[in-house]
Amino acid sequence: MSLLNDLMRAGVLRTLDHAFAQSLRRLDPDTPDEVLAAAALASLAVAQGHAGFDPARPQLLTEAQMAWPGAAQWQTAIAGSRWVAQPGAAQDVSDTTTPLVSEHGLLYLRRYREYERRLAMQLQHIAAQPLHAGGTADVAEVFALLFPHARSGEDRQARAAALALRRALLLVTGGPGTGKTTTITRLLVLRIAQAQRAGIVLPRIALAAPTGRAAERMAESLRKAAAAIVASGVDAALCEALPDSASTLHRLLGTIPDAPTFRHTADNPLPFNVIVVDEASMVDLPLMCKLVEAVADGTQLILLGDPDQLPSVEAGDVLAAILAAAGPGDALSADDARALQPLLGDAVPMADHAGGLHGHRVQLLRGYRQDADFDLAPLAVATREGDAERALSLLRGDTLRGVHFHEDVLDPLETQRALFLAHWRALADAPDPATALQSAQRLRLLTAVREGPQGARGLNARIEELLSGRRIGSAPSYFHGRLLLVTENSYRHRLFNGDIGICLRDGSGALMAWFAGGEDGGVRPFHPSALPAHESAFAMTVHKAQGSEFDEVWLQLPRNDSRVLSRELVYTALTRARTRLHVAGNAQVLRDALARHAVRMSGLAWRLGERDRSPTADPLPEAMTPVQGALF
């Protein structure tokens, strides 16, 4: 009886996972079968978005019914293997003959354990750095203009901006519409004013996000917030020192063609005084590690994110682990409150902060972009809390402005064909590519899964047939008006996973693929055959839509429950909508989704000081099953 063979026969393992285990067997035929199976599952875990594999919870990787070894027995076999290192938490693993590392109950591929260790050490290093930016009292006048209600004690945006004058590492979290970008804009103006008053060089500021679209949104929001600040009476010269653009993290770090490394590293740090990263929940473990290692001593790192959104597709749930170490962020420490009293007054709640990253986070109150015609907040709250009956009551009650429930509509592409086709055909008739790309953000069809008739791939095939007039399978690869989604990074093209483009004919009649990122905020043409890996973007998975916003969102739920569904996925989908939301599907599928959490296996939180015990010590709630990154 072989667990490794059983896993392969059951279709649990990928060929790569099995080949890794087999290579260990060839090198040492006496390697126990349970060690080989654990090695294969550690490889699979990374593909599914986990940092490591927990032998006490193999069901996080598969629903297949297997004869799993007992957790204690399995851990003993792993610990005794020549292929497994067991270092202390702060030690690196220099022995390249051990491809696996066992630590605090998790079995890691060595490289991912090192990413986790290095990330934790560098975050702690940044957090401990003093911030030499000038005095707080010197900017009291500007602060009062930016935050006129700061002394009420309830203005968390003001609290975040004030804390930015003391913290080299700052975490600003909150849902959509809570004013994260507005807060950051005012915060940066305050840092500029502080440097100006102190007579030192104005800070060099970098804005970045995981995807091109998220970076564009960030820059656009900052420009609007800056205009509002000037209109409120703040010196326009302060806003002129703000950056006017944002980049992807890959561009910020400096991509090297055909290489996994970046130009900016610990030995060649980023030349900025302040680095702001939006949509931090989307940043995976390797990329976050490389980012923080490229942060120079004395540079301030500010991470923005929504803790209730889906984790990154790739390995790790980095933001969640960092926030677990930072605590709720509801109050300032006594030292911070005293130092910031000239700005915030005496009404700020205080708490004892000790250890980890406590005192480095501010949680903004939720807004969910409500306006007179769109009332998303109650549904977003019910979804975040997993209250399925409340969510269904709100959807069925027809009381939420701009929110519509198409119950038991299992194919909105069929029932709303005219609506969708009118939108997509209008893109092909746009006067220029820039207008077409902007108009494409007005409506998007989102789905939870990638494969199958209701998956993004199947939906896009049907849409291509409708728009091109050719049968599925015979449609041309490219046609005028086809929306494209880049699915892998291409440093040579400066195109990255998640970038959206459109196929349109140029002035000579040649069909080109147009993407944002040209000079002066324009667009860039590419011959379609020269593009990196891509697919159609008429319908997108929720994961691919993360970091984007659309005026009108249609969320199509699967016909049947799927283990990829979770409350985080539904919440992320709902909050992509700016002005109108449609949810189509079965009520029971929605109930099942809201009962399930997205869970990632990781040791980053305890490395950062959040807990003293093993990450496997807490039992797994029955409803908590994994979101498999490989499915998106």
Side-chain angles (χ1 to χ4, degrees), residues 54-282:
D54 185 353
R57 300 187 288 181
Q59 68 270 34
L60 282 176
L61 299 183
T62 177
E63 293 178 341
Q65 298 300 311
M66 311 297 297
W68 301 112
Q73 170 194 340
W74 211 348
Q75 288 282 16
T76 299
I78 289 169
S81 173
R82 61 174 290 191
W83 304 122
V84 181
Q86 299 184 74
Q91 295 176 326
D92 65 354
V93 183
S94 56
D95 184 0
T96 57
T97 65
T98 54
L100 300 164
V101 179
S102 177
E103 192 174 13
H104 284 265
L106 291 183
L107 182 66
Y108 295 89
L109 297 181
R110 179 163 56 91
R111 180 166 52 135
Y112 284 86
R113 186 266 182 182
E114 285 299 292
Y115 282 139
E116 215 178 65
R117 181 190 67 85
R118 287 159 43 196
L119 172 57
M121 291 183 63
Q122 184 62 11
L123 281 172
Q124 290 167 333
H125 176 73
I126 295 171
Q129 292 285 304
L131 195 62
H132 302 295
T136 56
D138 295 339
V139 293
E141 182 181 349
V142 176
F143 189 88
L145 286 172
L146 293 169
F147 302 100
H149 306 294
R151 290 179 174 269
S152 69
E154 299 298 322
D155 191 338
R156 295 195 179 201
Q157 295 186 12
R159 202 179 308 168
L163 196 59
L165 303 179
R166 289 179 56 81
R167 294 282 184 245
L169 176 65
L170 181 65
L171 313 168
V172 180
T173 58
T178 52
K180 293 191 295 294
T181 306
T182 300
T183 302
I184 289 302
T185 308
R186 295 178 180 181
L187 178 160
L188 294 175
V189 167
L190 197 63
R191 286 294 315 272
I192 293 166
Q194 186 183 40
Q196 186 184 73
R197 302 295 191 273
I200 60 179
V201 177
L202 298 185
R204 295 191 63 191
I205 301 168
L207 307 177
T211 68
R213 181 57 189 160
E216 291 171 15
R217 278 183 44 224
M218 184 185 192
E220 180 183 357
S221 298
L222 187 135
R223 286 191 291 269
K224 291 179 180 177
I229 289 172
V230 173
S232 71
V234 173
D235 184 359
L238 296 176
C239 291
E240 290 173 1
L242 291 169
D244 57 5
S245 63
S247 71
T248 64
L249 286 171
H250 291 84
R251 292 177 184 133
L252 176 71
L253 290 169
T255 56
I256 301 174
D258 303 318
T261 55
F262 294 102
R263 290 188 174 87
H264 291 290
T265 63
D267 295 326
N268 180 31
L270 290 161
F272 298 101
N273 307 106
V274 182
I275 299 171
V276 184
V277 180
D278 197 8
E279 299 287 356
S281 64
M282 298 174 62

Side-chain angles (χ1 to χ4, degrees), residues 8 11-19 40 42-48 630:
M8 195 63 185
V12 174
L13 301 178
R14 303 170 301 159
T15 302
L16 178 64
D17 309 324
H18 188 256
S43 173
L44 176 66
V46 170
Q48 293 192 1

